[in-house]
Amino acid sequence: SKKSGRGVVRVFDESMDESIRFRRQIEGGLSKAIANGELRLVFQPIVAREKLEIVAFEALLRWKSPEYGNISPAMFIPIAEESNLIHELGDWVIDEALEMLQQWPGQYVSVNFSPRQFRRQNFVGHVVERVQRAGIEPHRVQIEITETAIFDNAERAADTLYRLRQMGFRIALDDFGTGYSSLYNIRKFALDCLKIDRSFIDGMGKERESAAIVHSIIHLGRALGLEVVAEGVETEAHLQALRLAGCSHYQGYYLARPLEADVATEVAHERYMA
Ligand code: C2E
Ligand code: CA
Ligand code: CA
Ligand code: CA
């Protein structure tokens, strides 16, 4: 009836208001977070087959807000991504990540870029400038993007990736397998690395389909000369299955959680996961 129909609309409106208000609060807090020193990076080891050598660290952003406490990047990155705030955050992340490289013996750093950053005017020039200013070799920097970043303008994305790669940067396709046209993407774009989405690793021991997909991605990656990183390696069983399948690189809680900067530097000098 009309009455209940209205009721539903009202409830919907109110919850909309609330979620918009909440987003505004997050946005406001985030815009002050850099200046207030509320952000930091943590670093999760990426480990190579056989000897479990630490070849890289993925930089992951953390925000401790005075109002809300620790907030997940999965929550605040999408909000930052709706405005130019993402550029300010992203620049802070790159600069911090580059600084770490000076303290590590040889590992590279893998940095996440959101679609809006990647599509920024003169993205390549922007990244190159920061890397040069820091005195870092581009080959020690891996740029992680997801398939959404290259989806809506494939030609422009292909050009951007090509130029980054010519400058010497490494390119990783993150959350591989969850995108809309994964196979098209690896044919079309200059890549170094595929990161198998952790939902497939998680499903490996549970259903045949996930295990088959993981095997296929590993074979495909090898055939194309790409590095393949399995994300979300949480158990010894995952590691064994991935080793058997010929996967070259692993990342996940079973090997190491994301580490505070000083701990990451210590571990970087040890070079192997215990
Ligand atoms: P992602 O790029 O897929 O990063 C991997 C996420 O999986 C991280 O979550 C990491 O802590 C988590 N993880 C690692 N190993 C395991 C495991 O064994 N099991 C499980 N369950 N999770 C594992 P985190 O740090 O919360 O980041 C979430 C997402 O936020 C990232 O997903 C990325 O999309 C985004 N993000 C984080 N830092 C940045 C950043 O600096 N810039 C941008 N643009 N996005 C970022
Ligand atoms: Ca990532
Ligand atoms: Ca990922
Ligand atoms: Ca993800």
Side-chain angles (χ1 to χ4, degrees):
S1 71
K2 252 185 186 167
K3 215 174 180 185
S4 66
R6 272 204 180 161
V8 170
V9 169
R10 253 183 70 116
V11 168
F12 181 69
D13 277 345
E14 275 168 13
S15 70
M16 281 284 282
D17 280 355
E18 204 158 298
S19 92
I20 288 168
R21 206 177 314 128
F22 182 65
R23 292 175 86 85
R24 288 221 182 98
Q25 280 169 348
I26 294 290
E27 222 180 283
L30 206 47
S31 66
K32 290 175 288 183
I34 296 178
N36 293 348
E38 295 160 19
L39 298 178
R40 70 182 199 286
L41 292 181
V42 290
F43 300 90
Q44 189 176 33
I46 298 172
V47 159
R49 203 186 149 77
E50 310 296 350
K51 296 178 179 165
L52 302 183
E53 183 184 357
I54 300 162
V55 295
F57 293 88
E58 179 175 1
L60 295 160
L61 190 54
R62 294 292 176 263
W63 177 27
K64 188 170 182 184
S65 141
E67 289 98 8
Y68 308 104
N70 291 311
I71 306 179
S72 162
M75 202 273 129
F76 69 78
I77 291 284
I79 294 176
E81 166 85 353
E82 283 175 8
S83 71
N84 285 328
L85 201 51
I86 192 67
H87 297 314
E88 210 184 314
L89 282 184
D91 288 346
W92 185 86
V93 169
I94 308 172
D95 291 345
E96 286 284 311
L98 292 175
E99 210 170 289
M100 292 300 288
L101 285 175
Q102 284 150 0
Q103 302 171 48
W104 298 342
Q107 290 90 353
Y108 63 88
V109 71
S110 202
V111 181
N112 293 286
F113 288 86
S114 69
R116 192 181 180 116
Q117 286 176 277
F118 182 73
R119 296 193 201 110
R120 180 184 195 167
Q121 266 316 311
N122 192 28
F123 174 69
V124 178
H126 189 78
V127 177
V128 168
E129 189 197 309
R130 299 192 104 80
V131 167
Q132 279 175 350
R133 196 192 307 154
I136 295 292
E137 291 280 317
H139 73 258
R140 290 189 75 194
V141 180
Q142 176 161 273
I143 291 171
E144 290 197 16
I145 55 161
T146 58
E147 292 170 273
T148 18
I150 51 187
F151 181 65
D152 39 88
N153 192 342
E155 231 161 86
R156 179 154 174 236
D159 179 60
T160 304
L161 291 178
Y162 177 77
R163 286 189 295 135
L164 285 169
R165 207 133 170 275
Q166 273 204 319
M167 295 300 302
F169 292 98
R170 303 171 47 101
I171 312 290
L173 203 47
D174 200 2
D175 303 343
F176 187 74
T178 60
Y180 184 68
S181 51
S182 301
L183 294 181
Y184 175 83
N185 288 333
I186 58 169
R187 186 176 56 125
K188 187 91 180 171
F189 300 104
L191 301 172
D192 298 278
C193 173
L194 302 176
K195 299 191 79 174
I196 309 177
D197 191 69
R198 76 164 187 264
S199 61
F200 297 115
I201 310 303
D202 186 49
M204 251 188 333
K206 297 173 187 162
E207 77 257 341
R208 209 159 48 99
E209 291 80 0
S210 284
I213 290 167
V214 169
H215 277 81
S216 304
I217 296 174
I218 292 166
H219 282 285
L220 190 62
R222 285 174 68 170
L224 296 172
L226 302 173
E227 205 164 83
V228 177
V229 177
E231 298 187 315
V233 179
E234 290 185 347
T235 64
E236 174 68 27
H238 286 161
L239 184 60
Q240 289 314 332
L242 289 161
R243 274 196 152 126
L244 275 175
C247 186
S248 64
H249 293 77
Y250 322 111
Q251 181 181 357
Y253 295 166
Y254 181 70
L255 296 150
R257 298 220 161 221
L259 307 171
E260 297 297 331
D262 54 339
V263 181
T265 296
E266 271 172 44
V267 166
H269 287 276
E270 287 162 15
R271 297 212 23 222
Y272 297 92
M273 275 330 292

